[in-house]
Amino acid sequence: MVRYKTFKALFQRNRRPGDIVFAWVFLAFALFLLWNLPTQTAAPSGGKFVAQPRFWPAVSLIGMAVFAVLHLVGSAVSERLYGRWREVLTWARSLEFAGWFIGYAVVVPYVGYLPSTVILALILLVRLGYGGRKTLGWGAVAAIAIVVLFKSFLQVKLPAGAVYEYLPDGLRQFMMIYL
Amino acid sequence: MDTLLSGAELLMRLDVVVALLIGSIGGVIIGAIPGVGPAVAIAILLPATFAFEPIVGLTMLLGIYGSSMYGGALPAVLINTPGTAVNALTTYDGYPMTQRGEARRALSIAYSASFCGGVFGILCLIFLSPVLAVVAPMFGSREIFLAALLGIILVILAHRGQVFAAGMLAMFGIFLQTVGLDAVTYTRRFTFDMTWLASGVNLIVVVLGLFALSQAFLLLVEKDSSPKAQPLDGSLTSGFKEVARHKRVTASSSGIGVLMGMIPGVGEFTAQFLSYTYAQKTSKTPEEFGKGAPEGLIASEASNNAVPAAAMIPLLALGIPGEALTAMMLSVFYVHNVIPGPALFQNQLDFVYALYIALLLLNVIVIVFLMVSTNLLTKIIRIPTRFLGVMILILSFVGVYSLRNSLTDCMIAAGFGVFGLILKRLNLPIVPIILGMVLGGIMEVKLRSAMARVKTPFDMIDRPIAFLLFLGILLVIGLHIRTVIKEHRAREEETDHDMHNTHMGQ
């Protein structure tokens, strides 16, 4: 019993709810990758062992699996914290915003950088509960400022929107280059 | 001296001056807003700087790196929320001073101590650089491999209480950089026959996901808040007198900052922690620490500001980044085909000096800016957090998409954003992944090239520096095991208690 207590004390850590869920998933992921090591990497005959293309994936995946087991043990022997599934739900809620981000990336080449940025800023602000005209106004100003800073001044590589084609001659050129 | 002058000459261009101004003032503002931080800002700006010359891009990024901690002290002192993670200990003594009605004094001390730490760090390096130019060429493939290995081990062990998590995440980072086509044998590694994985996982996409997007997601899913900070009256220059009164604490903290900055994988947090502990142990009034002791404030601010300059040492001399921000800067070098390492210190010492002078100038710009604009900054702190989240999301897009206009990159970044959010919510470290990716790449390349000369394992360490590094690795691991055993024995006596373990701060 004393030995068990000592073992527990060695591994106990300060944790947050949901730690054990993450520990299990990460271990499963590490083991899945390790399982695929022979098929996903090559080890041509000849050449030194440490220079093989399989060497570093093997080292890292074995390390990942070993540390993941230790992390899981640490999590399992610590006292249970309640609210783990509520925490997992919080993680899942971030997927919505990941979706908005990817949607934004899909739309930009068609609608153009300036219009899509302003629209996204306004939609997201309304979605997050900012209804006031002042906040939305600041949101639109900030979105325009970001576009002007990066596209007009820093000239970062972003595609011109397909809808810009339908603009009148002089404006089209300007929009394609600067906004 | 001539090299120093030609270094200064490199900076005398309008674009460099503008980059320095934008970087240093922008860095202060970014540091002052809790929830943004230099890592987010550098990650977003990184692709934009690829279009500039190395000196312009690096000056801007260095500006943000060096000045964000000045800004971070502001919310730490005024609203008990560190602006950047490395200002955490500033809240210990800064906020109690604010509660006593001494906010102006606290900020003034924090700024002055930051300035002294920053300048001390840079001066150390300017004088150290000629020595480095001699030592750096002694680092061959074997030595760089061992130094990178030491860096990885230190990153893992520096996360006290989270060593296993740091270990698995560092290993994950090493694994990530192996995905794709192997550059030497042209064999595929973990591509699962998918074309988008063949080109590997881009470091900048991962950085943007883990640092910038995750922060946006975090601010968006958490409750909205709008911190309030009171405006300040009076001058902020009096802090220099107090810092001068605590010369010993200032000097020792700056020294610890420089030392910790030079060792890869250790960084600001350890520097701040060590110098705070040292200042407390050697103080005549240790009981005042945590209740508003000026010495505590000086210790934490002087040490964290001494780090950026020192962190440039392993980056420039050996090409080994010590923490996440220098790891990001390394990619700016690579994009311009300037390979940091021994050759840079030998052949382009003026470039290195130019960076140091830029660091020195930025400290002056920042202190002047803060003296006149602190009140304006107290307004910026009040931006609602969810509004900030939307802006970071929009900014992250420019960073990811401008790299190569790839939707796949955006999806990978979004995936890492969610992963980063989970890590942040669980209070697990993100930095080991980035350092694993960068140092893992260096280790693979250097070990392969070292193999040409290595017949037996002992050949790895048959040169003096390689042997010293090897001893260093053994020493670090040995010391860690000793500490774990000691702590464990101390804890064993306390195991029998009635309190819930999670309340004991273990």
Side-chain angles (χ1 to χ4, degrees):
Chain A
M1 190 62 198
V2 173
R3 184 164 290 187
Y4 173 67
K5 257 191 171 171
T6 316
F7 170 77
K8 260 179 82 166
L10 182 68
F11 279 87
Q12 273 172 352
R13 293 171 293 113
N14 203 4
R15 304 172 310 136
R16 296 220 175 146
D19 190 57
I20 198 155
V21 180
F22 177 76
W24 272 114
V25 173
F26 199 89
L27 177 62
F29 179 59
L31 292 176
F32 165 76
L33 291 175
L34 201 55
W35 178 261
N36 280 290
L37 184 71
T39 53
Q40 291 300 324
T41 54
S45 52
K48 287 196 173 163
F49 174 65
V50 296
Q52 294 278 8
R54 183 173 289 169
F55 179 73
W56 284 100
V59 168
S60 56
L61 289 176
I62 292 169
M64 236 168 104
V66 170
F67 278 116
V69 168
L70 293 171
H71 181 73
L72 180 66
V73 170
S75 210
V77 297
S78 302
E79 280 179 56
R80 182 176 174 167
L81 299 170
Y82 288 92
R84 65 172 65 139
W85 295 113
R86 202 177 329 130
E87 179 61 26
V88 173
L89 208 68
T90 310
W91 303 345
R93 271 173 41 216
S94 70
L95 290 174
E96 180 203 331
F97 298 104
W100 282 108
F101 179 75
I102 294 168
Y104 176 39
V106 172
V107 166
V108 166
Y110 301 101
V111 183
Y113 186 41
L114 178 72
S116 46
T117 305
V118 175
I119 294 167
L120 179 85
L122 293 178
I123 293 178
L124 272 181
L125 287 173
V126 172
R127 152 76 186 81
L128 291 164
Y130 294 112
R133 219 177 264 179
K134 198 176 158 194
T135 317
L136 293 182
W138 275 116
V141 169
I144 294 169
I146 291 170
V147 173
V148 171
L149 174 68
F150 282 90
K151 184 89 201 257
S152 319
F153 284 111
L154 294 175
Q155 292 280 310
V156 292
K157 277 189 299 166
L158 290 169
V163 291
Y164 291 174
E165 291 290 340
Y166 302 102
L167 290 168
D169 275 350
L171 189 62
R172 184 175 57 214
Q173 195 72 9
F174 177 79
M175 289 291 279
M176 279 183 157
I177 297 173
Y178 295 109
L179 298 167
Chain B
M1 195 65 203
D2 281 349
T3 359
L4 198 65
L5 285 177
S6 61
E9 214 177 297
L10 276 178
L11 294 175
M12 283 181 201
R13 280 168 36 188
L14 186 66
D15 49 357
V16 180
V17 174
V18 171
L20 188 61
L21 275 174
I22 294 177
S24 47
I25 293 174
V28 175
I29 297 172
I30 286 157
I33 305 173
V36 186
V40 176
I42 291 183
I44 290 168
L45 279 174
L46 210 53
T49 57
F50 290 167
F52 305 151
E53 278 178 51
I55 185 79
V56 182
L58 281 168
T59 311
M60 188 149 93
L61 299 183
L62 259 185
I64 295 172
Y65 183 24
S67 61
S68 58
M69 282 170 276
Y70 278 92
L74 187 77
V77 168
L78 295 183
I79 57 169
N80 205 16
T81 309
T84 70
V86 295
N87 296 104
L89 290 184
T90 311
T91 58
Y92 283 20
D93 292 288
Y95 189 62
M97 286 177 87
T98 302
Q99 283 176 313
R100 283 205 305 248
E102 296 178 341
R104 191 185 60 77
R105 180 178 167 219
L107 273 182
S108 166
I109 294 174
Y111 293 161
S112 316
S114 302
F115 182 76
C116 292
V119 172
F120 179 83
I122 301 156
L123 291 180
C124 276
L125 299 171
I126 291 182
F127 292 118
L128 259 177
S129 287
V131 184
L132 281 165
V134 178
V135 177
M138 293 180 191
F139 277 73
S141 299
R142 278 170 268 182
E143 285 79 7
I144 292 183
F145 166 77
L146 287 168
L149 182 63
L150 179 64
I152 282 276
I153 293 171
L154 280 167
V155 169
I156 297 172
L157 298 184
H159 287 89
R160 296 288 297 275
Q162 292 181 317
V163 170
F164 302 146
M168 69 186 196
L169 293 170
M171 292 296 159
F172 179 52
I174 299 177
F175 167 74
L176 276 179
Q177 69 81 31
T178 66
V179 174
L181 208 58
D182 175 37
V184 176
T185 55
Y186 298 108
T187 55
R188 283 165 184 261
R189 297 195 285 195
F190 282 92
T191 55
F192 293 97
D193 290 329
M194 285 184 264
T195 41
W196 60 277
L197 274 175
S199 56
V201 186
N202 188 298
L203 174 73
I204 295 166
V205 174
V206 178
V207 162
L208 274 159
L210 284 177
F211 286 97
L213 269 177
S214 71
Q215 192 60 26
F217 295 161
L218 192 70
L219 294 170
L220 292 169
V221 297
E222 286 184 346
K223 254 198 267 162
D224 199 16
S225 76
S226 178
K228 291 256 179 305
Q230 297 301 320
L232 302 165
D233 301 318
S235 144
L236 287 162
T237 47
S238 60
F240 280 107
K241 280 184 211 142
E242 288 207 53
V243 171
R245 215 177 301 145
H246 297 288
K247 278 191 285 292
R248 192 185 50 81
V249 178
T250 316
S252 60
S253 307
S254 311
I256 292 174
V258 169
L259 273 179
M260 292 298 119
M262 272 165 37
I263 305 173
V266 182
E268 289 96 343
F269 200 78
T270 319
Q272 203 183 23
F273 184 78
L274 278 182
S275 54
Y276 190 86
T277 321
Y278 175 78
Q280 188 175 22
K281 273 189 184 156
T282 56
S283 168
K284 282 179 196 142
T285 52
E287 69 283 354
E288 286 293 310
F289 277 68
K291 294 177 193 156
E295 290 163 86
L297 201 54
I298 294 172
S300 57
E301 282 299 310
S303 62
N304 65 17
N305 274 278
V307 172
M312 297 306 285
I313 286 255
L315 179 74
L316 295 171
L318 307 176
I320 295 176
E323 32 73 80
L325 299 182
T326 35
M328 294 185 208
M329 283 184 210
L330 187 62
S331 58
V332 181
F333 282 100
Y334 281 150
V335 163
H336 293 286
N337 224 6
V338 179
I339 309 297
L344 184 76
F345 251 69
Q346 267 183 318
N347 310 331
Q348 285 178 278
L349 200 58
D350 52 345
F351 180 80
V352 177
Y353 276 136
L355 291 180
Y356 286 152
I357 298 168
L359 263 173
L360 199 61
L361 286 176
L362 90 87
N363 275 284
V364 179
I365 296 171
V366 169
I367 197 90
V368 172
F369 175 71
L370 280 171
M371 293 296 166
V372 293
S373 66
T374 292
N375 264 332
L376 190 74
L377 288 173
T378 56
K379 290 198 182 103
I380 292 175
I381 299 179
R382 292 185 222 168
I383 298 177
T385 49
R386 284 185 163 183
F387 185 92
L388 205 60
V390 175
M391 293 307 137
I392 298 178
L393 187 96
I394 291 173
L395 284 166
S396 308
F397 168 79
V398 196
V400 184
Y401 203 66
S402 63
L403 259 185
R404 44 190 181 194
N405 291 358
S406 150
L407 185 61
T408 319
D409 280 350
C410 290
M411 289 178 181
I412 298 174
F416 276 101
V418 175
F419 185 55
L421 168 118
I422 297 172
L423 294 178
K424 282 179 180 172
R425 292 278 305 178
L426 291 173
N427 201 20
L428 296 176
I430 290 176
V431 176
I433 303 180
I434 303 301
L435 282 183
M437 275 184 91
V438 177
L439 296 179
I442 294 172
M443 286 198 292
E444 176 159 22
V445 171
K446 293 297 171 188
L447 186 62
R448 262 187 183 149
S449 52
M451 276 306 115
R453 304 245 179 96
V454 175
K455 300 282 175 278
T456 65
F458 288 108
D459 292 345
M460 258 329 263
I461 49 169
D462 67 353
R463 295 204 293 193
I465 291 187
F467 187 70
L468 282 177
L469 284 166
F470 179 68
L471 280 186
I473 292 173
L474 291 184
L475 187 74
V476 165
I477 296 175
L479 281 176
H480 181 76
I481 293 173
R482 205 186 78 152
T483 321
V484 168
I485 293 173
K486 251 189 177 176
E487 277 179 4
H488 182 58
R489 282 206 185 125
R491 224 178 338 164
E492 227 171 63
E493 288 159 18
E494 300 168 5
T495 1
D496 198 20
H497 55 73
D498 297 327
M499 208 191 288
H500 191 288
N501 275 327
T502 49
H503 292 170
M504 299 196 55
Q506 288 174 5

